[in-house]
Amino acid sequence: MSIKLAIVMPAYNEQDCMADVVKIWSNLLENGFATENTRLIVVNDGSKDNTGKILDELKLFYPKLIVVHQPNGGHGNAVVHAYRKAVELEAEYIFQTDSDDQFIPEDVKLLWEKRHQSKFILGHREVRHDDPFRLLITRILRYSMFFVYGTFIMDSNIPFRLIEGNFLKKLLAQLPNPVPFAPNIFLAIMAKKAGQELFNIPIVHKERATGEVSIRKMKLLKVCWQSFNELLDFRLTLNTKIKNLK
């Protein structure tokens, strides 16, 4: 029986909320997709706390849960690893979110209802509960993308997206190697340039109740500069990448 929907998420040092996050997203699969074959794939990105141990224990209670452990490679690397696992399982649809418990599963239906209209659908955090510096950097990147690509995407790096499985497989094949710092931005750009309607659907973003943001202030500025340069380099091959998606 083929997998209808795979939810994928990276996890790093989220021991305080990991059990709750697995529970709420597993409940979504059990209740919202009760008649479908589904999976929840969590990639433990070399957590230094008990996140990995907790995930392994949770597998005993949640048969749809797949846990992948990897050495710490960063958020983007873990996201791509999770995507590739879902593609390997031939999931028809793949939904990506984060493990920090800042989104509500009920909003998935807003994207799911559009699945026949687009192969790549994004949420949009109209009210975003992050520190002002991070919000400023996000805005700078948004307009940088418009300057470089002529493409305006409200929330290109949002970890709340629904992608058709076969289309994601093609997108992943076009990602730069090594994996860029923020691969979700590259995937969104390629999808938009390939003619997909991203919709940018407003969804709820909650304040973080546990854990800490792993990238702050000057480090965030540094990686944003890295991302900008990666986007500049990617522009040189974008037309070829888009042709390969056809």
Side-chain angles (χ1 to χ4, degrees):
M1 183 179 180
S2 62
I3 295 175
K4 185 69 173 182
L5 173 66
I7 296 176
V8 302
M9 64 175 67
Y12 178 72
N13 290 354
E14 297 288 2
Q15 64 178 13
D16 293 334
C17 68
M18 198 71 255
D20 288 337
V21 168
V22 168
K23 179 180 179 180
I24 64 173
W25 290 99
S26 294
N27 286 345
L28 171 70
L29 295 179
E30 290 292 343
N31 299 323
F33 299 86
T35 63
E36 304 287 357
N37 188 20
T38 56
R39 294 291 185 276
L40 172 62
I41 302 170
V42 182
V43 174
N44 172 36
D45 186 36
S47 296
K48 297 178 181 178
D49 62 4
N50 290 320
T51 297
K53 179 182 178 181
I54 291 170
L55 284 168
D56 285 339
E57 292 172 350
L58 290 171
K59 286 191 298 184
L60 300 174
F61 304 96
Y62 298 99
K64 293 179 180 292
L65 174 63
I66 297 174
V67 178
V68 180
H69 298 284
Q70 69 170 34
N72 182 253
H75 182 275
N77 181 280
V79 168
V80 170
H81 195 170
Y83 281 148
R84 287 176 174 158
K85 182 64 176 179
V87 167
E88 176 188 320
L89 295 174
E90 299 183 343
E92 185 176 351
Y93 292 96
I94 297 161
F95 176 82
Q96 189 258 321
T97 189
D98 274 352
S99 57
D100 53 13
D101 197 23
Q102 288 192 269
F103 297 99
I104 61 173
E106 291 79 8
D107 279 347
V108 172
K109 66 182 180 181
L110 302 176
L111 280 64
W112 187 253
E113 290 170 354
K114 301 284 189 182
R115 69 190 183 280
H116 297 307
Q117 300 177 48
S118 177
K119 297 178 181 180
F120 195 103
I121 304 168
L122 295 181
H124 165 49
R125 294 167 283 195
E126 283 190 318
V127 179
R128 183 174 174 181
H129 294 283
D130 285 320
D131 65 77
F133 187 75
R134 181 175 288 266
L135 295 178
L136 175 62
I137 293 297
T138 299
R139 181 168 295 184
I140 291 173
L141 273 176
R142 180 187 301 161
Y143 286 99
S144 297
M145 284 173 48
F146 181 73
F147 173 74
V148 174
Y149 291 99
T151 298
F152 191 83
I153 303 174
M154 290 299 299
D155 209 344
S156 62
N157 200 34
I158 187 172
F160 202 93
R161 54 186 59 208
L162 180 68
I163 312 171
E164 192 267 334
N166 289 330
F167 186 60
L168 177 58
K169 183 177 182 178
K170 293 179 181 179
L171 288 171
L172 291 174
Q174 302 308 315
L175 270 181
N177 187 23
V179 173
F181 176 78
N184 269 342
I185 295 178
F186 290 76
L187 298 178
I189 289 172
M190 286 191 286
K192 180 73 171 179
K193 288 294 187 179
Q196 297 301 313
E197 172 57 65
L198 307 188
F199 287 107
N200 300 300
I201 298 170
I203 51 95
V204 174
H205 187 242
K206 303 187 297 181
E207 292 189 25
R208 176 186 274 268
T210 62
E212 295 182 356
V213 177
S214 58
I215 300 178
R216 293 180 177 274
K217 298 299 172 77
M218 295 311 297
K219 185 179 179 182
L220 179 61
L221 188 61
K222 180 180 178 180
V223 298
C224 283
W225 177 247
Q226 174 187 338
S227 294
F228 180 71
N229 283 302
E230 289 173 342
L231 286 168
L232 283 176
D233 292 340
F234 188 66
R235 185 177 183 273
L236 301 176
T237 59
L238 180 62
N239 289 337
T240 300
K241 302 284 189 183
I242 299 306
K243 289 179 181 178
N244 292 336
L245 295 176
K246 303 301 183 181

